[in-house]
Amino acid sequence: MPALSSSNWDRRSILRAAAGLAAAGTLAACGSNNGRGGGSGSGKNLAQMFHAYGEAGTEQAVKRYAAAYKGAHVTTQWITGSNFESKLFASLLTKNAPDVFEFHPQYQLIKSGQVADLTDLIEPVKDDFNQADIASHTVDGKIYGIRMIDDPQFFFYRKSMLEKANIEPPTTLDELIEAAAKLTTDKVKGVFLGNDLHAVIQPLFYSAGADTLTDDNKIAYHTDGVVEGLKQLRKLFTSGDLLLDAPADYWDPSALNQGLCAIQFCGMWAMPQFQQTLGDDLGVMPFPKVGAAGKPSVYNGGWSVFVNAKSANVDAAKEYVKWLWIDQKKYQEDWALSYGFHIPPRTSIARSATKLKSGLPAEGVKLFDEYGHFDRIGWTQAMITATENVFADCVRKNGDPEAALDKCDKTVNAELKKLFG
């Protein structure tokens, strides 16, 4: 989401956190404040947990929605800091666990019985959701969690810089590397992929014609195209044309806005800030094609709401979640479009959203519709870390991509065996 400052955490680590990650011991950050004290509400007391979005107005919006609900007294735990996922999962192990929380679809949550089946809430409006969002939350025909926002990620670029260098927006990774060289000066780097490069791992897979996992939960990323892409990124990393160690990471628009680079990988959440600073001197493009079997890609992040199946108030929590994230379309649209730009998962809301109907936002929606890829529910943090190690071994260092992927395969297969047998 937009307006994240350098004091906020790396978005990637939050967007891809593991459901199995739980901090040992008690949760110091939440302490004895379980979010259920005080207040003027009647009926059941419910607590919901959100991570601290970086842009102004988000905390107030979440609390405003909750205050409008008459069926229970709903309080909000707004978790700041760099490790929301560990605080959430530590809290879920205690009596102070939230009744409702935001996270991402993860198979471990379902397998452990941590999240409630919400099929009965979603079924009547199932056809009004992006069907890829429905699929990413479904296991054995049951739907767990309701998508709140979709966050497509792609490249933003300065049109004037590309025009001055006589460059068209790159359509292949080779062209991106060539463009980065032509755009780099003594003051500006050609391209920014984020400080740790983690944001472009899955886009690389997708653009090489691969994936993280197959539909039947087998390895899908270890292909010749991915190997080729890793070698190309190593070339870019050592070229001197890649911005490294920027003051803020990829999720923050400051690298492009401050003229540190000509092309930046980021998310649609930052589009209003880019436009405010750069006006019409701004274009968007997908992650370019990698290799002969590839195709441009747009990775979709986002957040979903879940009901804690181990709560003492499951039914009341489900009623609240239905009221807010199924029935209250005005709040759903407000959440998606008033604090940065996100694509509403409800297709009826997305179609009527005037802010997404023209100009650059409409281009972003078109790229998302044409090239979008969604997370696999079986893709765990251990698997994510293993692919990050691949990038460390053969992009940051000069390791052999095949050997790095072979090592990664061992970790991923062990995880798959634990999850699926």
Side-chain angles (χ1 to χ4, degrees):
M1 298 185 82
L4 288 162
S5 68
S6 59
S7 63
N8 288 93
W9 56 92
D10 183 307
R11 245 185 108 80
R12 181 72 171 184
S13 66
I14 300 300
L15 286 171
R16 321 291 276 115
L21 180 60
T26 59
L27 181 59
C30 289
S32 61
N33 177 16
N34 65 359
R36 295 184 175 85
S40 57
S42 59
K44 293 283 187 181
N45 289 327
L46 297 175
Q48 61 180 353
M49 182 179 285
F50 279 70
H51 83 286
Y53 291 84
E55 61 273 41
T58 48
E59 181 178 5
Q60 292 79 5
V62 167
K63 292 180 176 179
R64 185 173 70 251
Y65 308 152
Y69 182 60
K70 304 306 180 186
H73 176 60
V74 183
T75 50
T76 302
Q77 301 169 24
W78 190 255
I79 306 300
T80 61
S82 61
N83 53 347
F84 168 72
E85 71 278 18
S86 62
K87 293 176 181 178
L88 168 63
F89 286 103
S91 180
L92 289 174
L93 298 176
T94 74
K95 64 180 180 180
N96 294 330
D99 305 289
V100 175
F101 59 91
E102 67 167 0
F103 202 60
H104 321 287
Q106 291 275 358
Y107 185 76
Q108 300 102 314
L109 284 169
I110 299 165
K111 187 176 181 180
S112 66
Q114 186 67 68
V115 293
D117 175 8
L118 304 183
T119 308
D120 58 328
L121 307 188
I122 302 172
E123 193 66 42
V125 294
K126 181 179 176 181
D127 292 343
D128 190 36
F129 273 86
N130 184 314
Q131 292 305 294
D133 280 322
I134 294 293
S136 69
H137 291 70
T138 300
V139 173
D140 296 331
K142 297 179 179 179
I143 305 170
Y144 300 84
I146 302 173
R147 194 67 151 185
M148 299 183 293
I149 49 174
D150 284 325
D151 275 340
Q153 301 170 28
F154 27 57
F155 281 105
F156 293 81
Y157 60 89
R158 294 281 298 272
K159 290 181 178 179
S160 60
M161 290 186 176
L162 269 66
E163 288 169 1
K164 185 177 179 180
N166 197 27
I167 295 171
E168 292 293 322
T171 60
T172 68
L173 185 54
D174 276 330
E175 289 178 4
L176 180 66
I177 294 169
E178 293 170 6
K182 293 178 181 178
L183 292 164
T184 297
T185 69
D186 57 346
K187 296 180 179 179
V188 178
K189 293 293 186 181
V191 65
F192 180 49
L193 304 179
N195 287 328
D196 58 14
L197 308 182
H198 293 169
V200 299
I201 294 175
Q202 283 183 226
L204 178 74
F205 294 168
Y206 302 140
S207 284
D211 204 332
T212 52
L213 300 172
T214 62
D215 290 342
D216 58 349
N217 296 302
K218 301 291 192 301
I219 287 173
Y221 58 81
H222 193 157
T223 68
D224 291 343
V226 169
V227 170
E228 180 182 344
L230 289 167
K231 292 177 179 177
Q232 290 172 292
L233 284 184
R234 172 63 182 172
K235 178 181 177 182
L236 177 60
F237 184 79
T238 57
S239 67
D241 305 321
L242 185 66
L243 176 63
L244 301 170
D245 301 320
D249 212 342
Y250 85 102
W251 39 256
D252 188 292
S254 58
L256 192 68
N257 279 351
Q258 295 176 8
L260 303 179
C261 63
I263 302 173
Q264 175 180 345
F265 190 78
C266 193
M268 192 165 173
W269 59 80
M271 194 174 282
Q273 280 187 280
F274 280 127
Q275 290 180 304
Q276 184 178 2
T277 301
L278 302 175
D280 293 334
D281 188 22
L282 185 66
V284 290
M285 65 183 190
F287 197 96
K289 174 182 174 179
V290 178
K295 181 181 178 181
S297 72
V298 171
Y299 168 69
N300 176 50
W303 290 91
S304 306
V305 65
F306 298 89
V307 169
N308 180 4
K310 299 178 181 179
S311 162
N313 300 305
V314 171
D315 289 341
K318 287 179 65 175
E319 289 174 11
Y320 169 65
V321 164
K322 177 183 182 297
W323 174 84
L324 180 53
W325 298 110
I326 298 292
D327 299 338
Q328 302 301 311
K329 286 190 174 184
K330 63 178 182 179
Y331 291 147
Q332 295 161 38
E333 181 174 0
D334 180 68
W335 187 237
L337 296 167
S338 296
Y339 315 96
F341 286 166
H342 315 265
I343 297 178
R346 299 287 291 274
T347 54
S348 60
I349 299 175
R351 289 190 190 117
S352 65
T354 56
K355 292 180 179 179
L356 302 179
K357 284 187 175 297
S358 62
L360 205 65
E363 288 186 47
V365 171
K366 183 179 179 181
L367 292 178
F368 171 73
D369 289 342
E370 186 171 358
Y371 300 120
H373 289 263
F374 292 67
D375 284 321
R376 297 280 187 172
I377 200 168
W379 191 243
T380 70
Q381 182 59 35
M383 300 176 193
I384 293 159
T385 300
T387 59
E388 290 170 355
N389 290 339
V390 170
F391 265 55
D393 288 345
C394 55
V395 178
R396 288 187 168 275
K397 301 175 184 176
N398 197 27
D400 173 46
E402 283 287 1
L405 288 169
D406 285 341
K407 184 178 178 181
C408 181
D409 291 349
K410 293 180 180 178
T411 298
V412 173
N413 279 324
E415 282 290 293
L416 290 171
K417 186 175 181 180
K418 282 193 293 185
L419 285 177
F420 302 107

